């Protein structure tokens, strides 16, 4: 409704920025970012169509059968990611282009 996409993350600085912004707004138990396997075969991609050129998965992730969406763990300073079921109730990180 506000013309935004789920956030794609392309480097460690963007990852850190989103994590810090989330924590400063009280989001300390994780949030969805814009990565998904849906429609991507066996690989992850960004819902905004941008190139998958960075990831920050926990060791051992992504895991088969854990879900097609990606969440960032905001409880640690590293902001590592895991794949989870898309029905989990979490806040989302969105990005909107300047007008």
């Amino acid at each position: 409704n506000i013309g935004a996409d789920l956030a794609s993350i392309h480097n460690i600085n963007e990852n850190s920025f989103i994590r810090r912004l989330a924590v400063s707004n009280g989001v300390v138990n994780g949030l969805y970012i814009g990565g998904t396997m849906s429609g991507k075969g066996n690989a992850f991609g960004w819902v905004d169509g941008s190139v998958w050129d960075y990831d920050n998965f926990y060791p051992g992730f992504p895991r088969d059968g854990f879900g097609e969406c990606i969440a960032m763990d905001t409880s640690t300073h590293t902001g590592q990611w895991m794949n989870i079921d898309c029905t989990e109730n979490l806040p989302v990180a969105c990005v909107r282009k300047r007008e």
Side-chain angles (χ1 to χ4, degrees):
N1 290 339
I2 61 170
D5 281 316
L6 289 171
S8 58
I9 300 175
H10 300 282
N11 58 57
I12 193 169
N13 294 330
E14 291 177 358
N15 197 78
S16 295
F17 174 78
I18 289 172
R19 189 211 160 261
R20 285 191 316 269
L21 185 62
V23 170
S24 71
N25 284 284
V27 178
V28 295
N29 292 316
L31 57 81
Y32 283 113
I33 56 177
T36 183
M37 280 184 75
S38 182
K40 311 286 184 194
N42 289 327
F44 282 97
W46 297 113
V47 296
D48 66 5
S50 61
V51 175
W52 186 273
D53 53 3
Y54 172 81
D55 66 56
N56 190 31
F57 284 107
Y58 272 110
F61 280 88
R63 291 186 182 166
D64 286 338
F66 270 58
E68 294 189 347
C69 289
I70 299 178
M72 176 190 287
D73 181 357
T74 54
S75 70
T76 68
H77 73 282
T78 58
Q80 288 182 291
W81 309 347
M82 65 210 81
N83 60 308
I84 65 171
D85 188 289
C86 300
T87 61
E88 293 292 322
N89 189 15
L90 289 176
V92 296
C94 293
V95 128
R96 184 175 60 185
K97 292 184 181 182
R98 286 185 167 177
E99 295 181 18

